[in-house]
């Protein structure tokens, strides 16, 4: 896919109806030969809209007006390019716990959670957050995660988690102001509720930090999984990670994860983790597929704001 097509696709599939600012910006970049030529000097994996927009926000550049954005990026290109080369999109969205929760709550308790592509670990606390599925509340505390749920009842209670660990090539630390600033910059401009959620979830993680290990989701997974306590159901899970992993490594990961004890829960773009049989998604927006042990169960929106079940939740 050309860089122009990637920005247009991001506008149409991901930003439309979710962020008018990024919808406008990504459409403008898709039509701008100068910006596209600059982006094409970067390796393909470093040309992503979310990375460019996050870096510009981190460095205090304008994102509200496409003309001012263009001027800023071209005037500061060496710095923007260096930041894009050095960083990766590591959005850590605690809201995704709302789409994982019905499956986690249905598994034999207690759970030992191991997330690959864990970022700062904010998805490792599904037992600590509160949930609002329409008018049904599950649990209490902060943050409260809102999720439109269709096709299944919300879980009656939160899971019991006795161990939480994560692997990432670059784990982030929510107690480090620089890491928190990058996580904040990755949140889309209008999403004030997500910014509040980041702060609240970071406080939960900081109060009881998870075991975060720097490593690769294939090479280092067996050793970390072996540290899970006996007597708990091991759940290896991941959300919005595999698009960053080359296809041969994705195949190695899916082969490996099937050999581990416990369960495998994936919440991924079906373009990178395809399933043989899924119904059509609920609408034209971007959706991940939630799958347990390779069996697709539901369509989910990217930040956990909605889940549409098409198969029974129970394993
Ligand atoms: C978009 S973030 C998603 C974070 C988190 N799963 C969530 O849903 O909020 C993807 C994460 O995957 C990590 N990652 C990418 N390739 C990886 C690999 N080969 N092994 C481990 N982590 C990886 C990145 O560093 C990044 O933190």
């Amino acid at each position: 896919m050309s860089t122009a097509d990637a920005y247009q696709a991001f506008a149409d599939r991901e930003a439309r109806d979710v962020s008018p600012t990024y919808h406008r910006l990504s459409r403008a970049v898709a039509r701008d030969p100068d910006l596209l030529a600059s982006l094409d000097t970067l390796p393909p994996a470093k040309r992503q809209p979310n990375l460019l927009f996050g870096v510009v926000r981190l460095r205090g550049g304008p994102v509200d007006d496409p003309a001012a954005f263009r001027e800023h990026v071209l005037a500061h290109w060496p710095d923007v390019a260096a930041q894009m080369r050095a960083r990766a999109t590591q959005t850590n969205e605690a809201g995704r716990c709302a789409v994982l929760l019905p499956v986690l709550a249905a598994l034999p308790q207690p759970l030992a959670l191991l997330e690959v592509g864990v970022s700062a670990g904010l998805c490792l606390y599904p037992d600590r957050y509160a949930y609002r599925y329409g008018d049904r509340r599950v649990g209490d505390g902060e943050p409260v995660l809102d999720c439109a749920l269709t096709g299944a009842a919300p879980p009656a209670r939160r899971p019991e988690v006795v161990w939480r660990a994560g692997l990432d090539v670059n784990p982030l630390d929510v107690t480090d102001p620089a890491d928190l600033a990058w996580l904040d910059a990755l949140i889309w401009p209008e999403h004030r509720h997500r910014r509040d959620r980041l702060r609240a979830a970071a406080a939960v993680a900081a109060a009881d930090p998870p075991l975060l290990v720097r490593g690769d989701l294939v090479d280092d997974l067996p050793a970390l999984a072996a540290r899970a306590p006996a007597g708990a159901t091991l759940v290896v899970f991941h959300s919005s990670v595999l698009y960053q992993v080359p296809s041969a490594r994705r195949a190695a990961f899916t082969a490996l994860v099937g050999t581990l004890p416990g369960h495998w829960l994936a919440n991924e773009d079906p373009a990178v983790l395809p399933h043989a049989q899924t119904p059509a998604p609920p609408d034209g927006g971007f959706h991940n597929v939630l799958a347990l042990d390779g069996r697709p169960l539901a369509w989910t929106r990217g930040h956990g704001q909605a889940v549409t079940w098409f198969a029974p939740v129970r394993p």
Side-chain angles (χ1 to χ4, degrees), residues 90-93 96 115 117 168-169 216-217 239-240 243-244:
Q90 292 198 259
T91 307
N92 200 188
E93 182 46 77
R96 292 177 181 139
E115 184 180 10
D168 202 290
V169 284
D216 174 73
L217 84 184
S239 184
S240 302
Y243 75 92
Q244 297 188 2

Side-chain angles (χ1 to χ4, degrees), residues 88-94 96 115-120 122-123 167-172 215-218 237-246 249 267:
T89 51
Q90 292 198 259
T91 307
N92 200 188
E93 182 46 77
R96 292 177 181 139
E115 184 180 10
V116 298
V118 72
S119 185
L122 301 182
C123 292
L167 258 182
D168 202 290
V169 284
N170 183 40
L172 297 178
D216 174 73
L217 84 184
V218 176
F237 74 102
H238 48 97
S239 184
S240 302
V241 171
L242 295 187
Y243 75 92
Q244 297 188 2
V245 177
R249 297 295 285 171
N267 184 36

Side-chain angles (χ1 to χ4, degrees), residues 175-228:
T175 65
D176 178 341
D179 284 357
L180 204 54
W182 177 229
L183 289 170
D184 189 293
L186 286 166
I187 294 177
W188 299 6
E190 303 89 344
H191 295 188
R192 193 189 163 82
H193 65 291
R194 293 181 58 209
R195 237 164 236 114
D196 294 342
R197 192 151 80 192
L198 170 64
R199 293 288 179 286
V204 171
D208 181 15
L211 169 60
L212 297 189
V213 175
R214 184 179 298 275
D216 174 73
L217 84 184
V218 176
D219 298 339
D220 302 297
L221 177 58
L224 186 55
R227 294 171 68 177

Side-chain angles (χ1 to χ4, degrees), residues 57-293:
R57 292 193 67 245
L58 182 74
R59 309 299 269 182
V63 291
D64 288 337
D65 170 29
F69 172 84
R70 173 185 203 278
E71 195 177 321
H72 175 93
V73 171
L74 294 177
H76 298 86
W77 179 248
D79 177 58
V80 171
Q83 289 287 330
M84 290 179 74
R85 285 179 187 277
R87 296 181 181 277
T89 51
Q90 292 198 259
T91 307
N92 200 188
E93 182 46 77
R96 292 177 181 139
C97 286
V99 304
L100 305 176
L101 193 82
V103 176
L104 296 175
L107 294 174
Q109 308 291 310
L111 305 180
L113 296 181
L114 195 171
E115 184 180 10
V116 298
V118 72
S119 185
L122 301 182
C123 292
L124 285 169
Y125 298 84
D127 54 327
R128 304 278 175 86
Y129 304 144
Y131 302 84
R132 199 159 37 208
Y133 297 101
D135 55 8
R136 274 287 301 278
R137 283 285 289 245
V138 182
D140 47 29
E142 292 284 338
V144 180
L145 309 179
D146 277 297
C147 180
L149 181 146
T150 311
R157 63 188 67 80
R158 297 180 292 190
E160 183 191 352
V161 179
V162 292
W163 186 77
R164 50 194 108 230
L167 258 182
D168 202 290
V169 284
N170 183 40
L172 297 178
D173 176 359
V174 288
T175 65
D176 178 341
D179 284 357
L180 204 54
W182 177 229
L183 289 170
D184 189 293
L186 286 166
I187 294 177
W188 299 6
E190 303 89 344
H191 295 188
R192 193 189 163 82
H193 65 291
R194 293 181 58 209
R195 237 164 236 114
D196 294 342
R197 192 151 80 192
L198 170 64
R199 293 288 179 286
V204 171
D208 181 15
L211 169 60
L212 297 189
V213 175
R214 184 179 298 275
D216 174 73
L217 84 184
V218 176
D219 298 339
D220 302 297
L221 177 58
L224 186 55
R227 294 171 68 177
T233 302
L234 175 65
V235 185
V236 175
F237 74 102
H238 48 97
S239 184
S240 302
V241 171
L242 295 187
Y243 75 92
Q244 297 188 2
V245 177
S247 63
R249 297 295 285 171
R250 288 202 294 266
F253 170 73
T254 54
L256 169 67
V257 79
T259 68
L260 296 175
H263 292 279
W264 167 39
L265 182 57
N267 184 36
E268 293 287 346
D269 182 347
V272 295
L273 186 62
H275 299 280
Q277 286 186 331
T278 48
D283 58 55
F286 174 76
H287 287 79
N288 285 314
V289 171
L290 188 70
L292 180 65
D293 300 323

